[in-house]
Amino acid sequence: MRGIFEVDLRIFAENVRKIRAFLPKNISYFSVIKADAYGLGLEKIVRFVDKNLASSTQGFAVANVWEAQKIRTLGSMLPIIILSPMLPAEVAELRESNAVPMVSSRQEIDQLEQYAAEKNSDQEIQIAIDTGMGRAGVWYKDLGNFLEYVRTAGQHLKITGYGTHYASIETDPQQTIEQHERFLSVIPKNSPQTAMLHASSSFGIDKFADGTNTVRIGILQYGYPETDPLVKKLHLKSVASLKGFVVLIKSLPRGVKVGYEATCQLKRDTKIALLSVGYADGISRDMSGSVLIRGHRCPTLGLVSMDTITVDVTDLPEVSVGDEVVFWGSQGRDTISLDEFSRFSKCNYRLCTSYLSDRIERKYIE
């Protein structure tokens, strides 16, 4: 492999335990591992949680039934909730996953009722409530009518929880407060004490967990974003780094234009290094910043190619083919954070891990 995504599971465990210690004891911790655990590797994370963090983690949250099935094939018996609406064809696959879907529509109720009746046993469901995200969920003002429909049409369905999702939890506290109040105001007063109530994802656990008994923790458990106040408050650390290698070194004269569309013209005689990854590996084509080689920051030149990136190593005293390159992470005395790399890449930090292709080798430190 020409690129390495290195994940330190020891740090992941420390982060989970710190978050768990911060939460009130009555709050359950559901680890969100959708999208291949944000690119860190669902299989490895599930096995590690089962082996090392079962006392800290009460269950998993995924996007779809396929991800839930994958967890079951790994042998985990922790509870699973499916966050996104299900396709009709996916309903029959619930049996293998024993997961609890969150429903948003009468159509889903009808499909799940038919499925449960055919297997002649009750099916647990949770109700997704739209409190202002404008995405999945029953609009909060319509919840009463929806629950009445469930009572009449869902004879084999058992409601075991309610959840919502905040639209702007990192940027708009006032909107989040409004959504939180809407959620708590519509939860049926006769809900059993065992019902899951979850609204806060990673960045609301210090402000918006009141009135709920479960939180969904995703990117926070991996220590991102490093600049977030909650990450700093809990002393969480980044679990991963992205590395590549120098594959070619050559010199070019001043005035040469580098890369596709000739967006970069050299202002001096320049020694360049060609790096072993490109946009086919998940790096943004527009990345413009620095990488670490031998502990020094080396600026990128021009647009990212499909398989390579060009950097300026003129000021690097020594550089050789095969040298390790760090895109985010530490090398020597310097560190490029994922936050900084995401700014270089002009994309959200979540995308920087999720977009990495299978050409990037995953390496785990246990």
Side-chain angles (χ1 to χ4, degrees):
M1 290 290 183
R2 293 157 65 92
I4 298 173
F5 187 43
E6 191 172 87
V7 181
D8 194 326
L9 294 171
R10 300 168 302 179
I11 296 176
F12 170 68
E14 291 175 10
N15 288 347
V16 170
R17 291 180 180 124
K18 288 175 181 177
I19 297 168
R20 176 67 267 181
F22 174 76
L23 293 169
K25 291 183 179 180
N26 67 307
I27 298 286
S28 294
Y29 184 119
F30 268 62
S31 177
V32 181
I33 53 172
K34 61 182 180 177
D36 199 30
Y38 293 79
L40 276 78
L42 180 147
E43 179 175 346
K44 201 71 176 183
I45 295 297
V46 168
R47 291 191 188 280
F48 187 80
V49 167
D50 267 356
K51 182 179 179 180
N52 300 281
L53 296 169
S55 62
S56 301
T57 307
Q58 283 66 60
F60 294 113
V62 297
N64 53 57
V65 70
W66 181 87
E67 293 175 335
Q69 287 177 320
K70 179 68 174 177
I71 293 172
R72 293 299 182 227
T73 64
L74 298 173
S76 177
M77 298 307 295
L78 286 174
I80 303 172
I81 54 174
I82 299 174
L83 300 174
S84 299
M86 298 179 64
L87 290 166
E90 293 176 325
V91 172
E93 299 174 5
L94 273 176
R95 187 186 302 271
E96 297 175 20
S97 67
N98 192 31
V100 180
M102 296 195 69
V103 299
S104 303
S105 68
R106 295 189 177 193
Q107 180 183 11
E108 290 172 279
I109 294 298
D110 294 340
Q111 292 163 352
L112 287 165
E113 170 61 23
Q114 180 180 349
Y115 161 75
E118 289 174 355
K119 70 173 186 174
N120 196 30
S121 62
D122 288 346
Q123 171 65 46
E124 291 186 21
I125 62 171
Q126 295 194 18
I127 309 299
I129 304 172
D130 182 358
T131 57
M133 179 72 173
R135 200 175 60 180
V138 180
W139 183 242
Y140 75 102
K141 290 185 178 180
D142 299 331
L143 182 63
N145 290 334
F146 185 78
L147 292 179
E148 183 60 33
Y149 185 80
V150 175
R151 280 190 286 271
T152 56
Q155 300 299 312
H156 294 83
L157 303 182
K158 181 181 179 182
I159 299 174
T160 59
Y162 300 85
T164 193
H165 194 60
Y166 298 134
S168 307
I169 196 166
E170 296 178 69
T171 57
D172 192 340
Q174 189 54 47
Q175 182 189 11
T176 308
I177 290 171
E178 185 176 68
Q179 284 192 254
H180 186 67
E181 292 175 346
R182 286 174 174 176
F183 178 64
L184 296 182
S185 71
V186 297
I187 298 299
K189 304 303 180 185
N190 60 349
S191 297
Q193 290 186 339
T194 55
M196 280 179 56
L197 304 177
H198 49 101
S200 285
S201 52
S202 289
F203 303 105
I205 60 175
D206 59 337
K207 298 184 181 77
F208 304 109
D210 290 347
T212 64
N213 56 25
T214 305
V215 293
R216 308 181 303 262
I217 308 297
I219 197 76
L220 184 71
Q221 61 193 343
Y222 309 124
Y224 301 126
E226 294 101 323
T227 55
D228 186 83
L230 189 56
V231 171
K232 294 181 177 180
K233 179 178 179 178
L234 300 184
H235 304 289
L236 306 181
K237 297 178 181 178
S238 168
V239 303
S241 59
L242 179 63
K243 301 174 181 179
F245 303 95
V246 174
V247 295
L248 177 70
I249 300 166
K250 65 187 247 184
S251 296
L252 293 172
R254 176 185 177 184
V256 168
K257 294 180 179 180
V258 176
Y260 287 121
E261 301 178 25
T263 59
C264 174
Q265 185 171 22
L266 300 180
K267 297 180 181 179
R268 61 175 178 174
D269 293 344
T270 305
K271 181 169 65 172
I272 69 164
L274 209 60
L275 311 184
S276 60
V277 298
Y279 66 74
D281 301 288
I283 307 295
S284 169
R285 190 168 185 261
D286 295 323
M287 177 195 168
S288 178
S290 299
V291 300
L292 293 175
I293 304 176
R294 298 198 176 204
H296 295 266
R297 291 196 173 220
C298 302
T300 60
L301 299 171
L303 293 173
V304 172
S305 298
M306 177 176 276
D307 309 299
T308 58
I309 298 171
T310 306
V311 299
D312 185 342
V313 292
T314 308
D315 299 325
L316 193 58
E318 297 180 4
V319 60
S320 301
V321 170
D323 278 354
E324 179 188 84
V325 179
V326 172
F327 294 92
W328 78 78
S330 297
Q331 189 185 68
R333 297 181 178 180
D334 203 352
T335 298
I336 295 176
S337 69
L338 180 59
D339 288 353
E340 187 175 10
F341 180 79
S342 71
R343 292 195 295 273
F344 292 161
S345 303
K346 302 178 182 65
C347 67
N348 186 279
Y349 60 89
R350 295 174 179 86
L351 306 182
C352 295
T353 59
S354 298
Y355 279 7
L356 296 179
S357 76
D358 57 8
R359 299 205 313 186
I360 300 290
E361 178 184 1
R362 271 66 172 175
K363 181 179 178 182
Y364 297 91
I365 300 172
E366 295 191 57

